[in-house]
């Protein structure tokens, strides 16, 4: 079904049927659902690759899930999925194919864009990255003065930063611990300052990551990094070749910047920024963990791609997670979605998902440019457990908002944890299981009273429960499992965008701020007149200039 022939989402019979079902279900209680069906805890589960997904603690029945799947069928989610995998230009506002799945396809796959098989080019770049990573890791690639490279600084922002930065943290125990790997993204000079202040320039490699190579933050930081390096080394431009490489789709701009295009690792316009870290954008990660572990990660992505592409609706995990989000966002007025990893190594995972989900589905017009009159993407937030438990979990447990949450945990601690610390893992995971139990089942006033709590405190100590959660449990956090997790969320976001009939692959919402910043900068530096500047911003600019003594 193409966009033109689609009925307005909230005027379809399938949408109405879910609304009616929601009314009939009323305030369904998880306690009752489990009492009625003791096998729920094992039956409402699915497996994808190494990920065990428990969705039993959701406010759903078999009928809810059936109706949600009918909505997915009516909105042709699988039709759009197949078009994506085939390389059709489903990013209509930018007239681009959406083929991050080709980045992790096996060498012998055939995926065509405009009649050309893109898989050989993908693998040629991966091979080039592997060769370069090998040289850096072995010490064969040296800096301008002949010293071995010991420090890697990735300079990029958004999709050219969040993915490798997140994955580097996630896979730290797989990294070469002799390398220092840092990520600079913010145009605030403090970011670069802190990243390089204790580094020896002679041992430092900068990876300039930018799909467009025009992003002001990245080009500004890259220019400052080049100045820093040349000053530290007291060298001329010729030193750049051994200390700067680029990851980009834009060879011309890379060359203008002064980086030899022989040291450029390319990718393509059919890779969206927030879907790019398994492309050349992952070079810093590949240097850190090595090409073999990087390939394991890509295979993990691919495994979930294949699951999403081939699994029937009833057992298709990304479809299920996407539909559950629609159930809460569109039929329970949930505004946000928490992602709560019980692994310190996933400390940047939710920040990564914020771009993936919110830049993709933060849209308010449909594919035809018509305003949507249904809710689209949620606010995604969260930090690793157990820290959140001592901060905002209070609101999830006893506040007035419905916040569906994903809990992600692992049976094994990472392999190289000191033996003394391994014992802490069971305590971490006891908290993991306890929280979803408490959120689902709460504590009734009677249970509170039975503990001898005085009447005036009973209401305060009651937990109403019924807070929905998904539990994702895997044996351990390996490169493959990380790839599986990310692909799972990529496809979940896809499912939701398909149902909402929005273009999940453009990001026009970031443009206005960029344009205005360019106009305002001369007002800050030179006091230039900015035509049509509003009263509030004019006054703030004047205040700023006074504070700066200008
Ligand atoms: O924030 C807008 C955006 O275009 C993102 O989609 C992208 O990941 C980021 O900027 C960085 O872009 P580039 O890789 O072209 O520097």
């Amino acid at each position: 079904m193409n966009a033109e022939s689609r009925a307005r989402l909230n005027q379809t019979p399938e949408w109405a049927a879910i609304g009616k079902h929601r009314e009939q279900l009323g305030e369904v209680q998880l306690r009752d659902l489990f009492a009625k069906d003791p096998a729920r805890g094992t039956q409402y589960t699915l497996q994808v690759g190494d990920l065990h997904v428990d969705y039993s603690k959701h406010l759903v029945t078999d009928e809810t899930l059936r109706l949600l799947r009918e909505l997915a069928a009516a909105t042709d989610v699988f039709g759009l999925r197949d078009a994506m995998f085939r390389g059709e230009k489903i990013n209509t506002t930018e007239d681009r194919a959406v083929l991050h799945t080709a980045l992790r396809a096996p060498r012998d796959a055939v995926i065509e864009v405009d009649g050309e098989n893109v898989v050989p080019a993908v693998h040629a770049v991966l091979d080039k990255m592997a060769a370069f990573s090998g040289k850096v890791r072995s010490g064969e690639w040296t800096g301008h003065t002949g010293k071995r490279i010991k420090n890697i600084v990735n300079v990029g922002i958004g999709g050219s930063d969040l993915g490798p930065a997140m994955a580097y943290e996630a896979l730290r125990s797989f990294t070469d611990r002799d390398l220092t790997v840092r990520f600079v993204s913010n145009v605030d000079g403090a970011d670069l300052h802190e990243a390089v202040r204790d580094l020896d320039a002679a041992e430092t490699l900068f990876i300039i990551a930018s799909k467009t190579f025009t992003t002001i933050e990245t080009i500004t930081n890259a220019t400052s990094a080049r100045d820093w390096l040349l000053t530290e080394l007291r060298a001329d431009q010729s030193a750049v070749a051994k200390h700067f490489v680029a990851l980009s789709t834009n060879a011309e701009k890379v060359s203008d910047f002064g980086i030899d295009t022989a040291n450029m690792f390319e990718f393509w316009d059919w890779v969206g920024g927030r879907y790019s870290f398994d492309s050349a954008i992952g070079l810093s990660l590949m240097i850190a963990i090595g090409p073999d572990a990087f390939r394991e990660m890509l295979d993990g992505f691919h495994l979930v791609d294949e699951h999403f592409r081939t699994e029937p609706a009833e057992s298709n995990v990304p479809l299920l997670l996407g539909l559950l989000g629609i159930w809460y966002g569109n039929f329970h007025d949930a505004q946000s979605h928490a992602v709560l990893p019980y692994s310190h190594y996933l400390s940047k995972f939710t920040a990564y998902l914020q771009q993936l989900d919110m830049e993709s589905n933060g849209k308010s017009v449909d594919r035809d440019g018509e305003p949507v009159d249904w809710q689209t993407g949620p606010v995604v937030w969260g930090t690793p457990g157990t820290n959140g438990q001592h901060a905002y979990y209070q609101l999830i447990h006893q506040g007035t908002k419905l916040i569906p949450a994903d809990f992600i945990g692992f049976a094994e601690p990472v392999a190289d944890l000191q033996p003394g610390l391994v014992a802490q893992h069971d305590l971490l995971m006891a908290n993991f299981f306890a929280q979803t139990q408490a959120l689902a089942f709460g504590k009734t006033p009677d249970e509170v009273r039975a503990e001898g709590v005085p009447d005036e405190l009973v209401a305060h100590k009651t937990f109403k429960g019924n807070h929905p959660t998904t539990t994702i449990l895997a044996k351990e956090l390996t490169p493959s499992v990380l790839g599986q997790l990310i692909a799972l969320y990529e496809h979940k976001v896809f499912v939701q965008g398909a149902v909402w009939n929005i273009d999940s692959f453009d990001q026009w919402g970031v443009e206005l701020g960029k344009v205005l910043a360019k106009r305002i900068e001369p007002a800050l530096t030179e006091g230039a007149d900015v035509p049509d500047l509003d009263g509030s911003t004019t006054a703030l600019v004047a205040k700023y200039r006074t504070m700066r003594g200008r």
Side-chain angles (χ1 to χ4, degrees):
M1 188 188 305
N2 60 30
E4 291 79 54
S5 65
R6 254 186 84 151
R8 296 286 290 170
L9 176 63
N10 55 358
Q11 286 160 23
T12 59
E14 291 79 11
W15 186 268
I18 299 173
K20 192 162 163 226
H21 170 73
R22 166 77 181 93
E23 271 171 36
Q24 283 164 352
L25 215 52
E27 292 307 305
V28 64
Q29 297 296 308
L30 283 169
R31 279 179 182 246
D32 296 338
L33 292 177
F34 274 85
K36 257 188 238 149
D37 177 9
R40 188 177 168 95
T42 49
Q43 280 178 356
Y44 275 50
T45 64
L46 287 171
Q47 187 78 23
V48 48
D50 297 306
L51 310 176
H52 173 78
V53 179
D54 177 334
Y55 59 100
S56 63
K57 296 189 184 84
H58 277 287
L59 306 171
V60 295
T61 62
D62 287 349
E63 177 68 354
T64 321
L65 297 171
R66 189 185 66 75
L67 291 170
L68 287 166
R69 283 194 299 268
E70 282 190 0
L71 181 69
T75 51
D76 200 23
V77 171
F78 282 174
L80 193 69
R81 171 201 67 185
D82 294 343
M84 171 175 76
F85 276 94
R86 275 198 303 270
E88 286 179 26
K89 295 188 176 171
I90 64 164
N91 175 0
T92 48
T93 71
E94 294 181 318
D95 193 28
R96 285 179 180 167
V98 174
L99 264 186
H100 41 279
T101 51
L103 298 170
R104 49 260 193 163
R107 215 173 265 277
D108 57 0
V110 177
I111 302 168
E112 292 187 349
V113 177
D114 293 330
E116 191 194 331
N117 180 13
V118 297
V119 178
V122 166
H123 280 269
V125 174
L126 285 170
D127 291 345
K128 185 175 167 183
M129 289 165 66
F132 181 74
S133 300
K135 281 187 194 161
V136 174
R137 287 165 65 85
S138 69
E140 188 187 332
W141 182 280
T142 52
H144 182 64
T145 66
K147 276 189 161 182
R148 183 179 182 147
I149 295 296
K150 291 191 183 152
N151 315 310
I152 309 292
V153 180
N154 187 85
V155 178
I157 197 164
S160 299
D161 164 71
L162 289 162
M166 174 275 290
Y168 173 70
E169 281 304 316
L171 300 176
R172 251 180 199 265
S173 69
F174 295 84
T175 61
D176 178 343
R177 301 282 195 172
D178 291 333
L179 286 170
T180 297
V181 183
R182 293 185 180 156
F183 296 85
V184 172
S185 53
N186 199 330
V187 77
D188 182 341
D191 200 1
L192 180 62
H193 170 73
E194 291 297 334
V196 299
R197 57 183 291 281
D198 58 347
L199 300 186
D200 178 352
E203 300 175 340
T204 302
L205 175 75
F206 288 96
I207 299 180
I208 312 302
S210 176
K211 178 177 168 179
T212 55
F213 231 75
T214 57
T215 304
I216 188 89
E217 290 92 335
T218 300
I219 301 307
T220 305
N221 276 326
T223 306
S224 300
R226 188 179 56 194
D227 293 348
W228 173 81
L229 182 104
L230 299 183
T231 308
E232 291 282 309
L233 295 184
R234 293 190 188 83
D236 63 19
Q237 192 68 20
S238 64
V240 168
K242 299 306 290 283
H243 293 271
F244 279 78
V245 299
L247 321 174
S248 189
T249 60
N250 193 338
E252 200 183 321
K253 292 277 178 204
V254 167
S255 166
D256 289 352
F257 181 83
I259 296 177
D260 185 347
T261 47
N263 297 334
M264 167 178 154
F265 299 82
E266 77 165 322
F267 57 112
W268 307 272
D269 73 358
W270 41 262
V271 182
R274 54 193 171 275
Y275 298 87
S276 68
F277 107 81
D278 45 354
S279 71
I281 291 295
L283 183 65
S284 53
L285 177 70
M286 190 193 270
I287 294 172
I289 64 173
D292 292 344
F294 195 85
R295 184 68 242 174
E296 276 174 38
M297 183 186 75
L298 296 184
D299 290 343
F301 273 97
H302 181 64
L303 185 154
V304 175
D305 292 344
E306 285 303 282
H307 168 96
F308 181 49
R309 193 174 67 80
T310 60
E311 197 71 19
E314 290 73 15
S315 46
N316 195 302
V317 181
L319 182 77
L320 171 76
L321 298 188
L323 293 175
L324 286 171
I326 284 166
W327 175 236
Y328 296 115
N330 296 106
F331 297 93
H332 291 74
D333 298 326
Q335 297 288 315
S336 78
H337 183 93
V339 180
L340 309 167
Y342 276 62
S343 163
H344 203 71
Y345 289 101
L346 289 181
S347 58
K348 295 188 172 170
F349 189 67
T350 310
Y352 170 78
L353 291 186
Q354 284 180 327
Q355 188 200 15
L356 176 65
D357 200 325
M358 293 164 78
E359 197 167 73
S360 294
N361 285 343
K363 310 287 164 64
S364 55
V365 295
D366 70 12
R367 291 174 157 271
D368 301 320
E370 293 294 323
V372 295
D373 39 16
W374 48 88
Q375 288 290 308
T376 60
V379 176
V380 176
W381 62 282
T383 49
T386 58
N387 298 13
Q389 291 173 210
H390 296 274
Y392 50 78
Y393 276 38
Q394 164 67 37
L395 185 146
I396 307 181
H397 281 288
Q398 288 189 314
T400 53
K401 295 175 174 59
L402 176 73
I403 302 175
D406 297 348
F407 279 69
I408 303 170
F410 302 93
E412 299 277 357
V414 301
D416 69 349
L417 212 58
Q418 294 163 26
L421 297 175
V422 169
Q424 293 185 202
H425 192 71
D426 289 329
L427 179 57
L428 170 73
M429 292 306 285
N431 276 276
F432 175 81
F433 295 118
Q435 285 299 324
T436 59
Q437 184 195 3
L439 286 166
F441 305 112
K443 202 184 216 183
T444 65
D446 285 348
E447 287 168 344
V448 176
R449 260 183 228 107
E451 288 175 353
V453 171
D455 276 353
E456 68 274 18
L457 285 183
V458 168
H460 296 279
K461 295 198 166 195
T462 297
F463 289 70
K464 79 172 177 52
N466 236 23
H467 300 289
T469 58
T470 301
T471 297
I472 302 176
L473 186 63
K475 187 163 185 293
E476 57 187 317
L477 180 55
T478 61
S480 170
V481 166
L482 182 69
Q484 294 173 38
L485 271 173
I486 297 166
L488 180 62
Y489 279 96
E490 285 177 348
H491 297 317
K492 172 202 159 173
V493 167
F494 175 93
V495 166
Q496 296 187 333
V499 171
W500 290 323
N501 196 25
I502 55 180
D503 187 335
S504 299
F505 301 100
D506 61 15
Q507 57 284 317
W508 300 107
V510 298
E511 294 305 320
L512 180 60
K514 284 190 199 169
V515 173
L516 294 183
K518 243 187 208 161
R519 286 180 66 207
I520 289 173
E521 197 189 359
L524 304 186
T525 52
E526 302 149 23
D529 234 10
V530 184
D532 307 326
L533 205 60
D534 66 275
S536 163
T537 314
T538 304
L540 286 167
V541 166
K543 194 68 154 176
Y544 172 86
R545 281 184 57 79
T546 312
M547 286 176 175
R548 297 280 327 245
R550 290 178 179 155

